[in-house]
Amino acid sequence: MPAGRPGPAAQSARRPPPLLPLLLLCVLGAPQAGSGADTAVISPQDPTLLIGSSLQATCSVHGDPPGATAEGLYWTLNGHRLPPELSRMLNASTLALALANLNGSRQQSGDNLMCHARDGSILAGSCLYVGLPPEKPFNISCWSKNMKDLTCRWTPGAHGETFLHTNYSLKYKLRWYGQDNTCEEYHTVGPHSCHIPKDLALFTPYEIWVEATNRLGSARSDVLTLDILDVVTTDPPPEVHVSRVGGLEDQLSVRWVSPPALKDFLFQAKYQIRYRVEDSVDWKVVDDVSNQTSCRLAGLKPGTVYFVQVRCNPFGIYGSKKAGIWSEWSHPTAASTPRSERPGPGGGACEPRGGEPSSGPVRRELKQFLGWLKKHAYCSNLSFRLYDQWRAWMQKSHKTRNQHRTRGSCPRADGARREVLPDKL
Amino acid sequence: MSRREGNLEDPQADSSISPLPHLESKIQQTHSLARLLTKYAEQLLQEYVQHQGDPFGLPGFSPPRLPVADLSAPAPGHAGLPVPERLRLDEAALAALPPLLDVVRRRQAELNPRALRLLRRLEDAARQARALGAAVEAVLAALGAETRGPRPEPAAAAIAAATVTAGVFPAKVLGLRVCGLYREWVSRTEADLGQLAPGGPA
């Protein structure tokens, strides 16, 4: 190979440049005058080592130009010059290096160990791979969206830090027959995940496992056995609507639609609702919403904006006995409760006089009873009907009392008692 | 059709239709493309050195300037050549770059498999070099200048096989060299087209 190969400009003698696999020549260390290129070789080339182990390396000069020796050579690792006491000349043309207790590689492409001439030019290089073999991946979890696919996630062993590129491969097969298959779509829901988009069988269990491999070894997870029907999830319920319940200031009505993809199968679906006040981060969860598509929230603050979300668990599909997997929450839907019409404490409310039944034990007991109903039967239409009637009656009776006050009188105790008790109680 | 519009069957029959605006537009477009690719080439180089680790990318890092098959850096005398000759050399270099960039990408896919942005940039660079080379060739043809004509296919397979067996360090150095050459040649092309673009010295 000619030294100082001319550039294209000099080749304007209209002759196509000779086609040489010069990369091959470069790799074999063809010398080039003045550049120091490949005039030495480091051994070992690209070794793989365990963290904490030692390395003995040598840099041997080729003797080009003639008379070249190892005198004055030095080492760098990732650009840092290594202390001279770590090196020694083995002979006139070879400089040795001893590194102990190696740390994990700084980059996955390998640490750059270089041998330099006295003038600093790079004579040769080798990349060190220092790390750990993979540990067993664990905690595999999988779910199927609408029975059409399967996505699995896992945790790498040793928290994933092997300092070496570690390849994870998700494998699966039908339990009693079939060949091993390898998942191909990785990193779909995070770095350690894979998606199998199609050709999945129902009613027959799969065996799923993860194999981890790097330069220092391999490891295999435990096998997870599952039936697709036991790990089904679906889309969030669409068309979530939140609205007021007439003038009731502490209630909102929530309605939604079954997720369409599975609506013909959701005989036993469960739903969950969560809601929060507009400027709060704390969600309250309504858990016991069974196979219904509406619910009423009660005990809310009047005149307050609430955000509401709903999610679905399609358990019981095709008779599956497993718990099922919750969908994502629906997009938040907001609505506000009506403002309270009752005047505040300092607003001239008619405070009950001593002995008046409005502060009496009957009213207190009624309130307690309805409070209990509210707490234990969020979605019981019957109790809400009763409660609604009572509340509406209470609000009406408050207005009436205020009107009497305006006229300059308060209801007599007996009359008040009668007014407090709604007919249907 | 009016005389003003000319004769569609013989575009040269009416000299009132000048090909110059089309040529100028073509040159300007190609110049803009070269300017954009110069920026991308710089980004590619930065991304590349990041993934190879220190001292790649450190100031003063001077690896062996290994020659690369079929391609060298623009010669010192390049700027003194006539513009068509410079563009011919630019076009030849841009044609030589894609297979080299492909080789680098394949090797980096083994060394840095998670460096998705780097791998994407290398793939894009090969496509962009082809596109710019074709655009320069079109400009040369429009100028009536000779292009280089068919050239032998680079020995991509041999180059690829060689880099697979080569050590990691030489492969890193090779990649740096190729990315550097890519940047030099698109930058050179931008400057050469700038000589022809409206408002340029030519």
Side-chain angles (χ1 to χ4, degrees):
Chain A
M1 179 188 131
R5 179 181 168 81
Q11 295 174 10
S12 58
R14 286 22 173 202
R15 186 165 41 89
L19 192 63
L20 295 172
L22 288 177
L23 291 178
L24 180 59
L25 293 173
C26 297
V27 162
L28 294 179
Q32 189 176 33
S35 74
D38 292 310
T39 53
V41 65
I42 292 177
S43 178
Q45 273 287 300
D46 310 329
T48 303
L49 303 140
L50 273 172
I51 287 179
S53 62
S54 302
L55 170 71
Q56 311 280 333
T58 57
C59 177
S60 301
V61 292
H62 290 153
D64 183 11
T69 71
E71 191 75 40
L73 302 191
Y74 64 92
W75 297 93
T76 62
L77 181 62
N78 290 328
H80 296 286
R81 188 161 179 163
L82 294 174
E85 55 269 25
L86 298 179
S87 307
R88 62 186 176 96
M89 281 186 60
L90 283 184
N91 54 50
S93 62
T94 305
L95 181 71
L97 173 70
L99 291 175
N101 197 21
L102 291 164
N103 291 326
S105 284
R106 214 192 273 189
Q107 55 269 341
Q108 291 208 333
S109 58
D111 294 322
N112 298 309
L113 178 67
M114 289 183 284
C115 174
H116 297 255
R118 188 192 296 271
D119 65 358
S121 60
I122 299 168
L123 300 179
S126 175
C127 289
L128 312 184
Y129 294 89
V130 187
L132 298 166
E135 289 192 11
K136 196 163 103 164
F138 63 101
N139 201 20
I140 304 176
S141 65
C142 303
W143 60 94
S144 171
K145 187 84 171 287
N146 301 322
M147 300 182 286
K148 287 184 173 10
D149 62 7
L150 190 68
T151 303
C152 295
R153 202 156 42 186
W154 62 90
T155 305
H159 310 292
E161 188 53 276
T162 58
F163 297 93
L164 301 172
H165 169 64
T166 300
N167 188 52
Y168 292 89
S169 181
L170 182 91
K171 302 279 185 87
Y172 60 102
K173 67 182 283 287
L174 286 166
R175 188 179 201 179
W176 294 297
Y177 56 95
Q179 60 188 16
D180 290 2
N181 300 292
T182 304
C183 181
E184 291 179 1
E185 294 179 19
Y186 288 87
H187 320 303
T188 48
V189 286
H192 302 292
S193 63
C194 200
H195 176 241
I196 304 164
K198 57 183 181 174
D199 298 334
L200 291 165
L202 304 179
F203 305 107
T204 183
Y206 275 94
E207 292 183 339
I208 299 170
W209 67 98
V210 176
E211 294 176 0
T213 310
N214 70 17
R215 287 171 175 253
L216 282 171
S218 58
R220 182 173 139 146
S221 70
D222 291 335
V223 174
L224 171 70
T225 304
L226 59 80
D227 190 323
I228 300 288
L229 292 177
D230 291 338
V231 293
V232 178
T233 186
T234 187
D235 308 291
E239 300 180 38
V240 176
H241 295 290
V242 184
S243 53
R244 292 178 175 180
V245 183
L248 292 175
E249 62 207 26
D250 66 336
Q251 295 184 24
L252 289 172
S253 170
V254 186
R255 293 178 197 282
W256 59 90
V257 173
S258 288
L262 293 180
K263 68 176 172 57
D264 294 334
F265 305 98
L266 292 180
F267 308 118
Q268 299 181 64
K270 293 188 293 190
Y271 294 94
Q272 242 184 16
I273 301 172
R274 69 176 187 180
Y275 62 95
R276 64 173 173 85
V277 171
E278 182 183 21
D279 52 2
S280 166
V281 295
D282 298 323
W283 292 94
K284 289 193 179 161
V285 177
V286 180
D287 230 336
D288 49 356
V289 185
S290 57
N291 195 19
Q292 302 177 23
T293 56
S294 64
C295 186
R296 194 185 291 193
L297 305 175
L300 307 177
K301 291 183 199 169
T304 304
V305 174
Y306 283 86
F307 287 105
V308 179
Q309 291 178 294
V310 186
R311 65 178 181 175
C312 175
N313 182 330
F315 87 104
I317 284 194
Y318 286 129
S320 167
K321 300 282 187 276
K322 294 290 176 73
I325 298 178
W326 288 103
S327 70
E328 295 293 322
W329 289 103
S330 62
H331 291 304
T333 303
S336 63
T337 47
R339 291 197 176 278
S340 174
E341 288 182 5
R342 276 175 283 174
C350 183
E351 290 298 321
R353 293 178 192 164
E356 276 200 281
S358 58
S359 64
V362 174
R363 184 187 172 95
R364 268 201 302 278
E365 194 177 291
L366 188 60
K367 273 186 124 170
Q368 282 168 4
F369 169 66
L370 290 171
W372 179 89
L373 271 182
K374 190 170 71 181
K375 187 178 171 189
H376 291 281
Y378 268 126
C379 297
S380 167
N381 290 335
L382 182 63
S383 62
F384 265 125
R385 227 175 281 134
L386 262 177
Y387 186 60
D388 285 350
Q389 285 179 344
W390 182 75
R391 291 296 308 277
W393 187 88
M394 281 297 293
Q395 285 173 15
K396 188 177 163 189
S397 76
H398 264 297
K399 279 186 196 162
T400 309
R401 226 174 281 130
N402 287 341
Q403 282 166 5
H404 287 162
R405 189 167 13 101
T406 305
R407 289 195 224 119
S409 68
C410 279
R412 288 176 52 196
D414 285 346
R417 186 184 301 123
R418 278 199 293 278
E419 282 171 349
V420 160
L421 292 176
D423 291 341
K424 291 201 177 166
L425 268 186
Chain B
M1 188 169 300
S2 69
R3 275 181 59 83
R4 191 181 170 83
E5 291 169 346
N7 186 338
L8 283 176
E9 289 171 2
D10 184 3
Q12 291 180 358
D14 187 342
S15 61
S16 67
I17 299 176
S18 168
L20 277 179
H22 300 288
L23 175 60
E24 276 179 10
S25 168
K26 184 73 191 160
I27 291 170
Q28 195 151 21
Q29 283 171 8
T30 309
H31 181 234
S32 298
L33 176 60
R35 185 184 304 139
L36 181 65
L37 297 191
T38 300
K39 189 171 76 168
Y40 290 166
E42 184 60 49
Q43 291 170 352
L44 168 61
L45 196 55
Q46 295 305 317
E47 187 91 32
Y48 183 86
V49 298
Q50 234 177 8
H51 287 286
Q52 311 317 306
D54 290 338
F56 287 83
L58 289 182
F61 177 57
S62 179
R65 270 180 90 82
L66 303 173
V68 171
D70 234 7
L71 189 59
S72 302
H78 180 103
L81 296 171
V83 171
E85 181 57 26
R86 283 190 252 162
L87 290 177
R88 265 197 290 274
L89 293 169
D90 294 337
E91 190 262 325
L94 291 167
L97 275 162
L100 296 168
L101 288 161
D102 283 341
V103 167
V104 173
R105 183 185 55 80
R106 280 198 288 273
R107 197 67 162 107
Q108 287 298 309
E110 294 165 10
L111 296 178
N112 288 297
R114 290 203 195 128
L116 299 178
R117 196 166 57 188
L118 170 64
L119 299 176
R120 205 166 47 241
R121 283 195 198 271
L122 285 164
E123 189 174 351
D124 290 347
R127 261 205 316 273
Q128 287 156 5
R130 271 189 205 99
L132 184 58
V136 170
E137 190 174 23
V139 167
L140 282 168
L143 285 172
E146 264 182 41
T147 58
R148 287 193 168 265
R151 62 185 62 80
E153 283 295 316
I159 296 167
T163 48
V164 164
T165 54
V168 174
F169 186 77
K172 288 186 179 185
V173 171
L174 172 71
L176 179 67
R177 183 90 175 107
V178 170
C179 291
L181 284 169
Y182 173 59
R183 184 186 62 172
E184 287 185 71
W185 279 106
V186 290
S187 174
R188 186 69 256 168
T189 304
E190 181 199 347
D192 295 339
L193 285 165
Q195 303 278 306
L196 290 178

